[in-house]
Amino acid sequence: MLAEQFASRAGPDKIPTFLSTRHVFYISQPNTDIDPSMWHRDSDRYRMFTRRAIMLGAGQGVLLTGLAARMYYLQVMESNRYSTLADDNRISHRLLPPPRGIITDRFGAPLAINRQNYHILIVREQSPDVRKTLTVLSQIIEIDPETIDRVEGDVQRRRSFVPVTVRDNLTWDEVARVGVNAPDLPGIIIDAGRSRDYPEGPHLAHTLGYVAAVAEKELTGDPLLELPGFRIGKSGIEKTYDMSLRGRAGTSQVEVNALGRVIRELDREEGQSGETVVLTLDIELQRFANQRLAEHESAAAVVMDVYNGDVLAMTSHPTYDPNSFTNGISHKLWDSLINNEYSPLSNKAINGTYSPGSTFKTCVALAALEAGVITPEQRFFCPGHLDLGNARFHCWKRGGHGWVNMHDSMKHSCDVYYYELSQKLGIDKIAAMAKRLGLGDPTGVDLPSERSGLIPTKEWKETQLGKRWQGGETLICSIGQGYVLTTPLQLATMTARLASGKAVTPHLTRDHVAPDEIAARNDAEFPDLGVSRAHLAHIHDGMNGVTNELRGTAYRSRIKIKGLEMAGKTGTSQVRRISMHERQTGIIGNDDLPWKYRDHALFIAFAPVENPRYACAVVVEHGGSGSGVAAPIARDLLTKAQELKSSRPGVSAVNIQSASQILRTTTKKQES
Amino acid sequence: MASRYRIGQDPDYVPLGRRLLLMNWTLVLLLCILSGIGFAMLYSAANGSLQPWAERQMMRFAAGLTLMILIALTDIRIWLRMSYAAYVISLILLVGVEIKGDIGMGAQRWINLGFFQLQPSELMKISLVLSLARYFHGLTIEETGRIPLLIPPLLMVLAPAALVLRQPDLGTALLLVAGGGVIFWLAGVRMWKFALVLGGALAAIPIGWQFLRDYQKNRVLTFLNPENDPLGAGYHITQSKIALGSGGLFGKGFMLGSQSHLNFLPEKQTDFIFTMLGEEFGLVGGIALLLLYTLVIVYGYVIALRCANQFGRLVAIGVTTTFFLYVFINIAMVMGLIPVVGVPLPLVSYGGTVMMTILVSFGLLMSISIHRDVRISRQGNDDGRH
């Protein structure tokens, strides 16, 4: 055993000659004391080793081939799929919000524009010490300590390269100061954004509406709406024509890394800014109307073109500043707006519904003429009241008007005359004429949430209230009280139709505006109302009597300038029931009543009397009498409109190429 | 005993000049080319900069290469005699880091030597191969069939594997077991015994599963369905496949890989460096690298088959197989063929420890090549002539 151990020299294993040609010298040395059995055994070991090494090598070869095959599969067969995925990773599509279309008045004066809004931002990774930078910044421009705390929190929460807004709405002076001190403010960026600006502020709040951030429920899947800071129209023209004003978003293809940092821009497609929307309003008339109404607590007025339906002024008082909505309205301001007793947020011109009062008599008179139940000369006796069954219906004048024909009935606004007419006509004929004149249905003006008012019929009462129509109700309705409700815009439309004999409808844009097309309006697009011209002349005559004849209810408010005279009709609508007791003891004067129990004052008018062009409706909520309160406003508005020649042709978006062109026209106009 | 190898007395003594001549310089060149590819990829990974990776990697390679040549020039019999000692030292160090780790250093797997961080598990990769080769060198083919004689080497494999698994380092444990298994296989242990152990291991998987850390479980689950959690644990593999696939046939060009340079690809300088190469140089580049590795492996086999002693043969295939396993596990992992295990691509991935292990083992391989004709007794202490 011991000998064997010592003799266990491994000996020259049988080495394939191809592997050992260079070393023949060593193995050829004499080996005299080798145990042949060892030779045999070690060659067994070697054979086993060789066999297994070859098997192992083959196995490894197969596995390496497998790797190559997998590589081929990934890089050749699946290459296209993975290339797409790599590009999806790398390329990010960013939307470039388009500038919102501007809104101008009929002559091109800007009413809603996009103002450069400078914000200040900070980028953490570019600022070695955020707190220090902000402290330095607060010495340069005004920043409150809470903002510094908020920004510090935001900066930590976001990725280091994401800019965080420090302050909005920098003045130009502040921008300049920050710019000068830039070396001391590492990581501070000044960014110019756009924000909606309404140069006329409160003058047009209700008509233009406002823009605000997109609410959750307004998301339509359009990615533009999901952009932070994107604003959409929430009310008024901004809402109605939102799709046209929005424009088309551009896209920017950027290369981003795994953290979302933009490395470079690959491709850019500019968007298209929103369409310019030209309104029919005359901003000077509009401003005037606002100032005129501001004397009262709550009022609305509309001035429109009787031939083409252009609304020249539409105002609702009180109003608010739409600019306060653009960057988010404060809680305090919002609360004060919604809790205000005079509802400043509501556009009363289209949302306020009022009993038209005696202004409705024009409609009843025309219905009677058209139905042929009376002639204009036919007279009725007014003793101050009319008895129907066991109910007594009073005229506003206690002593009565005596014998009145149609002309005088309007001039003096005699109620009994219309009680008589209504009995001959019946409610349904009155309602039919009211509808023809544009009452009881939305006028279709291009503003959201217009109210339809109410023109009652027998059928309406049965279906809606489940009660039969009472004869007395016809009487009440004939003087514009009871169920009858109208909006100021409807009254203006009615007046325009009475003046022109055409079925005009009001609208606020110079052109037909659709998201992809703007087309000019056709002046002759409204059909004839289908009412006898002679009958209309009788109505005009009566309305002329109201303003231009001595003892007419609005004679004091007539337009004295020759050629500009107006014809109108007063209306005073009760908002409370006058009890029998009060009638006997004397009706309480408006001035002695709380504001909300006072009568509404109304007035409708058109001008000039000959060849009318402008129609106007004024409602002063709880203002008192139509003749004393509403008529002077209408007089002033119509005078102003005629002096300004508000209805003269303005610009049209169809004929202009771009918003800049409009603004140029505007500047020229201002210069001249 | 050293006196036995005095010049003139030892017939197998190879003079130094002869050793330098016999050194496999083609293999050295291949290793340099592979490392050169690594430098280029690290340069690209740093967006065209030698910092922070390429330069340090070059310095490590220079040091490693010197060490490799020194090892290659040393007589193989010296390495044989040092085998058991190296194993014992490695095991002690392994237990040492384990205790140190338990004391509160967390999953620290290295010993800081100041200029160099020594990982006992890496040391073990080499010394396990050496000591197993020495053990089986001393067994006849008949003796390898005797089960009691197989128990010591089995313990030699399992002890370090268990320690490494505790760290926990699944990748290294697998490499140790596989490297050891290969020596068993080459020594002639019967097929059915392998089948038995393998069967036992498979049966133990459900039990072993409970001992895996959560992140290890997640890795396996993620491998089974990477798209399941594309932004979490499956993110690496998904992004790696996208990078490779988008590279296509010819790649996106040097330093132009979007996945790598925009940081979609994680760990691009270490475990996922092959992906980066595949993205920038395409299938052509990937296959070329694979061919270089194959050539190195073939050299290992040739050296083994030409070696006259069992120890050298076993060590040669042992280190070649370890090298193969590095290459295979890494590339298969980045291509989504096997779960994510932290095994780098040898010589190319950034990292000094594995580079050192690889170069030391190639030093041994070359020493085997130089001393291919040295005959060693089964006891390993004598050439059998005296």
Side-chain angles (χ1 to χ4, degrees):
Chain A
M1 207 44 202
L2 203 74
E4 194 188 298
Q5 276 177 13
F6 274 94
S8 67
R9 180 190 169 188
D13 285 336
K14 212 174 191 176
I15 293 169
T17 43
F18 74 93
L19 290 172
S20 63
T21 46
R22 282 161 63 194
H23 313 299
V24 176
F25 169 75
Y26 290 99
I27 54 169
S28 65
Q29 281 188 353
N31 293 306
T32 45
D33 49 353
I34 293 170
D35 179 354
S37 70
M38 290 308 297
W39 266 83
H40 175 71
R41 263 184 225 141
D42 209 61
S43 77
D44 270 358
R45 240 172 29 162
Y46 184 70
R47 271 205 300 278
M48 171 68 86
F49 173 85
T50 309
R51 200 165 59 236
R52 290 211 163 169
I54 286 168
M55 284 166 78
L56 188 68
Q60 293 180 357
V62 167
L63 288 176
L64 290 174
T65 313
L67 291 185
R70 174 71 171 177
M71 240 182 267
Y72 180 80
Y73 169 78
L74 288 176
Q75 299 195 284
V76 176
M77 290 166 75
E78 293 280 282
S79 179
N80 287 341
R81 185 166 80 91
Y82 285 118
S83 293
T84 313
L85 287 171
D87 281 346
D88 285 351
N89 269 345
R90 168 177 86 94
I91 298 170
S92 171
H93 294 263
R94 311 249 155 139
L95 279 180
L96 304 169
R100 196 170 172 83
I102 63 166
I103 304 174
T104 73
D105 88 339
R106 65 189 291 127
F107 303 116
L111 305 180
I113 54 171
N114 303 311
R115 186 168 43 85
Q116 285 274 309
N117 174 16
Y118 294 97
H119 352 256
I120 209 156
L121 307 146
I122 188 163
V123 182
R124 166 157 55 105
E125 65 171 11
Q126 288 166 16
S127 180
D129 183 348
V130 172
R131 172 136 226 136
K132 194 176 146 223
T133 308
L134 290 175
T135 315
V136 173
L137 184 67
S138 66
Q139 288 156 7
I140 297 165
I141 60 168
E142 193 184 321
I143 293 171
D144 43 68
E146 294 96 79
T147 308
I148 294 183
D149 292 340
R150 173 189 61 82
V151 170
E152 271 200 312
D154 283 359
V155 154
Q156 291 309 321
R157 254 174 274 126
R158 310 270 170 82
R159 287 179 176 146
S160 65
F161 57 87
V162 177
V164 171
T165 307
V166 181
R167 236 197 74 187
D168 263 338
N169 296 319
L170 266 72
T171 63
W172 181 242
D173 184 48
E174 286 172 318
V175 171
R177 263 184 288 161
V178 172
V180 166
N181 290 291
D184 299 329
L185 300 167
I188 292 283
I189 305 173
I190 298 171
D191 181 50
R194 287 185 293 256
S195 64
R196 199 64 161 167
D197 187 45
Y198 302 99
E200 298 296 331
H203 285 306
L204 276 163
H206 298 107
T207 313
L208 291 179
Y210 57 88
V211 293
V214 186
E216 195 85 37
K217 62 173 191 291
E218 289 166 328
L219 292 173
T220 55
D222 182 350
L224 195 55
L225 296 183
E226 285 159 40
L227 280 181
F230 193 75
R231 302 271 190 274
I232 59 166
K234 295 281 183 166
S235 72
I237 290 291
E238 292 273 31
K239 184 172 181 180
T240 307
Y241 295 108
D242 191 47
M243 292 312 285
S244 303
L245 290 164
R246 246 184 232 177
R248 197 167 45 79
T251 52
S252 160
Q253 270 189 17
V254 290
E255 189 175 76
V256 295
N257 71 4
L259 298 172
R261 180 206 293 270
V262 176
I263 306 296
R264 63 197 166 115
E265 188 169 60
L266 301 170
D267 190 23
R268 188 185 183 91
E269 193 192 329
E270 292 296 342
Q272 201 177 11
S273 64
E275 303 283 4
T276 298
V277 172
V278 179
L279 300 186
T280 55
L281 297 173
D282 177 351
I283 187 60
E284 284 190 60
L285 185 65
Q286 176 77 25
R287 277 191 218 123
F288 178 77
N290 273 308
Q291 285 156 11
R292 195 63 187 78
L293 290 191
E295 296 160 21
H296 302 279
E297 287 89 351
S298 179
V302 175
V303 179
M304 64 186 276
D305 188 308
V306 301
Y307 287 109
N308 60 22
D310 283 358
V311 176
L312 301 166
M314 177 191 276
T315 159
S316 172
H317 182 79
T319 181
Y320 59 92
D321 188 352
N323 290 314
S324 48
F325 285 84
T326 307
N327 291 315
I329 187 168
S330 73
H331 252 285
K332 209 174 125 193
L333 183 57
W334 175 251
D335 284 345
S336 78
L337 283 176
I338 57 167
N339 293 327
N340 189 318
E341 147 174 51
Y342 307 126
S343 15
L345 289 174
S346 157
N347 184 359
K348 297 184 186 87
I350 58 165
N351 275 328
T353 55
Y354 309 93
S355 298
S358 300
T359 60
F360 193 59
K361 288 172 183 169
T362 54
C363 168
V364 177
L366 184 61
L369 289 173
E370 283 288 299
V373 295
I374 52 152
T375 61
E377 292 74 33
Q378 200 173 336
R379 294 195 297 176
F380 293 95
F381 184 76
C382 168
H385 57 85
L386 183 128
D387 292 323
L388 185 72
N390 45 13
R392 169 163 287 194
F393 295 87
H394 294 271
C395 184
W396 67 269
K397 191 171 178 184
R398 275 197 99 178
H401 292 93
W403 287 100
V404 284
N405 63 11
M406 180 171 282
H407 177 83
D408 292 336
S409 74
M410 274 203 240
K411 179 178 166 185
H412 301 297
S413 199
C414 172
D415 293 339
V416 172
Y417 180 88
Y418 291 91
Y419 296 154
E420 300 280 2
L421 287 195
S422 69
Q423 282 186 292
K424 292 177 184 293
L425 277 167
I427 186 63
D428 287 349
K429 281 196 176 135
I430 294 174
M433 180 52 73
K435 295 246 172 182
R436 265 171 97 179
L437 292 175
L439 306 180
D441 288 314
T443 61
V445 72
D446 32 8
L447 287 176
S449 62
E450 185 192 5
R451 303 261 300 260
S452 62
L454 178 61
I455 296 298
T457 59
K458 285 178 182 166
E459 192 196 342
W460 167 83
K461 190 176 178 193
E462 271 162 34
T463 55
Q464 294 297 312
L465 304 179
K467 285 177 191 156
R468 283 204 50 199
W469 186 264
Q470 304 292 312
E473 290 170 335
T474 311
L475 268 59
I476 302 272
C477 287
S478 72
I479 59 162
Q481 298 277 155
Y483 296 119
V484 185
L485 288 172
T486 57
T487 66
L489 183 64
Q490 284 175 332
L491 289 176
T493 306
M494 177 180 82
T495 314
R497 289 183 177 191
L498 288 171
S500 65
K502 292 169 89 179
V504 291
T505 54
H507 54 83
L508 277 156
T509 52
R510 291 289 288 164
D511 311 290
H512 290 288
V513 180
D516 42 5
E517 195 188 21
I518 290 190
R521 284 186 195 274
N522 180 1
D523 257 5
E525 67 186 70
F526 298 110
D528 201 81
L529 201 54
V531 174
S532 156
R533 289 279 155 183
H535 292 162
L536 281 176
H538 287 298
I539 304 297
H540 291 190
D541 179 50
M543 290 171 76
N544 185 40
V546 172
T547 49
N548 296 324
E549 288 173 20
L550 203 59
R551 290 199 305 279
T553 50
Y555 179 68
R556 270 176 304 156
S557 303
R558 69 190 180 281
I559 295 176
K560 292 167 186 164
I561 302 162
K562 191 142 179 64
L564 303 188
E565 295 94 341
M566 70 171 181
K569 180 71 197 82
T570 52
T572 306
S573 67
Q574 272 171 236
V575 293
R576 67 192 182 103
R577 198 180 173 83
I578 297 175
S579 66
M580 193 61 87
H581 171 76
E582 192 186 325
R583 269 190 208 285
Q584 282 159 1
T585 55
I587 297 168
I588 305 165
N590 268 314
D591 292 344
D592 302 327
L593 283 166
W595 179 77
K596 63 177 184 172
Y597 295 123
R598 293 179 199 169
D599 298 336
H600 289 322
L602 295 94
F603 195 75
I604 59 169
F606 60 84
V609 177
E610 308 297 331
N611 198 13
R613 184 76 209 200
Y614 302 96
C616 173
V618 176
V619 175
V620 180
E621 281 189 5
H622 312 292
S625 80
S627 58
V629 176
I633 298 174
R635 172 199 65 202
D636 294 345
L637 291 182
L638 285 175
T639 309
K640 187 78 177 174
Q642 293 181 89
E643 281 172 359
L644 289 169
K645 294 193 169 58
S646 290
S647 67
R648 72 188 190 275
V651 296
S652 163
V654 180
N655 304 323
I656 52 164
Q657 245 76 69
S658 66
S660 54
Q661 201 177 336
I662 266 208
L663 291 173
R664 232 179 294 130
T665 3
T666 316
T667 23
K668 258 187 230 150
K669 193 185 132 202
Q670 283 164 353
E671 281 162 7
S672 63
Chain B
M1 292 219 285
S3 63
R4 286 184 195 281
Y5 303 115
R6 272 198 318 266
I7 298 169
Q9 286 193 357
D10 176 13
D12 288 335
Y13 179 76
V14 187
L16 187 65
R18 183 96 199 140
R19 288 184 204 182
L20 282 170
L21 200 69
L22 286 178
M23 188 122 129
N24 206 323
W25 292 107
T26 321
L27 184 56
V28 175
L29 182 69
L30 275 177
L31 298 179
C32 289
I33 292 172
L34 279 169
S35 302
I37 291 170
F39 305 150
M41 292 327 293
L42 292 174
Y43 179 77
S44 173
N47 292 319
S49 165
L50 289 175
Q51 307 295 342
W53 300 308
E55 198 180 280
R56 289 190 66 186
Q57 184 83 343
M58 286 178 192
M59 282 156 66
R60 284 168 178 162
F61 180 69
L65 200 67
T66 315
L67 187 63
M68 177 182 86
I69 289 169
L70 286 177
I71 291 169
L73 295 177
T74 311
D75 195 310
I76 188 69
R77 283 167 293 194
I78 293 175
W79 298 124
L80 175 120
R81 278 188 284 110
M82 281 171 62
S83 298
Y84 288 143
Y87 179 84
V88 171
I89 291 168
S90 300
L91 198 64
I92 289 169
L93 288 175
L94 211 50
V95 173
V97 286
E98 187 61 24
I99 291 166
K100 209 170 125 198
D102 281 350
I103 286 170
M105 305 295 273
Q108 201 186 61
R109 297 167 192 175
W110 60 81
I111 293 163
N112 200 341
L113 298 180
F115 65 101
F116 179 70
Q117 286 177 337
L118 179 74
Q119 274 191 31
S121 60
E122 291 297 318
L123 210 56
M124 183 51 93
K125 278 177 195 161
I126 299 167
S127 40
L128 179 65
V129 168
L130 283 174
S131 57
L132 284 176
R134 166 149 196 194
Y135 184 84
F136 282 109
H137 176 85
L139 293 190
T140 62
I141 189 82
E142 289 79 14
E143 281 166 336
T144 52
R146 284 170 56 193
I147 289 171
L149 285 175
L150 290 181
I151 288 171
L154 204 58
L155 290 176
M156 274 157 72
V157 176
L158 293 181
L163 283 169
V164 169
L165 199 58
R166 270 209 54 179
Q167 280 184 350
D169 184 351
L170 190 61
T172 305
L174 282 175
L175 280 174
L176 285 173
V177 171
V182 162
I183 309 276
F184 276 70
W185 166 262
L186 294 167
V189 175
R190 290 283 157 203
M191 226 54 116
W192 64 268
K193 286 174 187 146
F194 278 95
L196 197 72
V197 172
L198 213 63
L202 283 175
I205 284 177
I207 302 156
W209 179 253
Q210 296 168 18
F211 289 98
L212 289 183
R213 303 284 172 99
D214 275 347
Y215 83 91
Q216 291 170 326
K217 286 184 189 173
N218 280 338
R219 279 180 178 181
V220 176
L221 291 174
T222 301
F223 161 70
L224 294 175
N225 188 6
E227 275 80 20
N228 195 23
D229 185 15
L231 284 175
Y235 179 82
H236 290 196
I237 280 306
T238 307
Q239 293 303 333
S240 175
K241 279 156 76 177
I242 291 173
L244 279 166
S246 63
L249 197 55
F250 298 105
K252 296 174 185 171
F254 186 52
M255 304 220 291
L256 293 175
S258 67
Q259 288 282 102
S260 333
H261 289 279
L262 298 174
N263 290 331
F264 291 101
L265 187 67
E267 304 285 329
K268 58 177 181 285
Q269 78 281 14
T270 55
D271 290 358
F272 285 88
I273 199 158
F274 180 80
T275 306
M276 190 179 169
L277 180 120
E279 191 189 15
E280 299 195 344
F281 296 102
L283 182 69
V284 173
I287 294 287
L289 187 74
L290 207 58
L291 281 177
L292 282 173
Y293 278 125
T294 309
L295 221 51
V296 170
I297 291 164
V298 167
Y299 261 101
Y301 274 85
V302 169
I303 286 167
L305 290 174
R306 264 163 55 170
C307 183
N309 54 72
Q310 180 75 349
F311 175 73
R313 292 191 294 239
L314 290 176
V315 171
I317 297 292
V319 297
T320 306
T321 299
T322 306
F323 184 74
F324 162 82
L325 285 171
Y326 270 113
V327 173
F328 177 78
I329 292 175
N330 179 270
I331 298 181
M333 169 194 77
V334 301
M335 292 197 297
L337 286 172
I338 58 166
V340 175
V341 274
V343 171
L345 191 64
L347 299 177
V348 177
S349 284
Y350 177 75
T353 329
V354 173
M355 173 168 270
M356 219 42 98
T357 311
I358 295 295
L359 290 176
V360 165
S361 52
F362 275 107
L364 288 170
L365 188 67
M366 285 185 206
S367 174
I368 291 161
S369 176
I370 291 166
H371 305 94
R372 73 194 85 181
D373 297 318
V374 172
R375 282 145 297 191
I376 311 169
S377 73
R378 275 216 292 274
Q379 283 67 35
N381 54 2
D382 194 48
D383 61 6
R385 276 170 299 188
H386 303 286

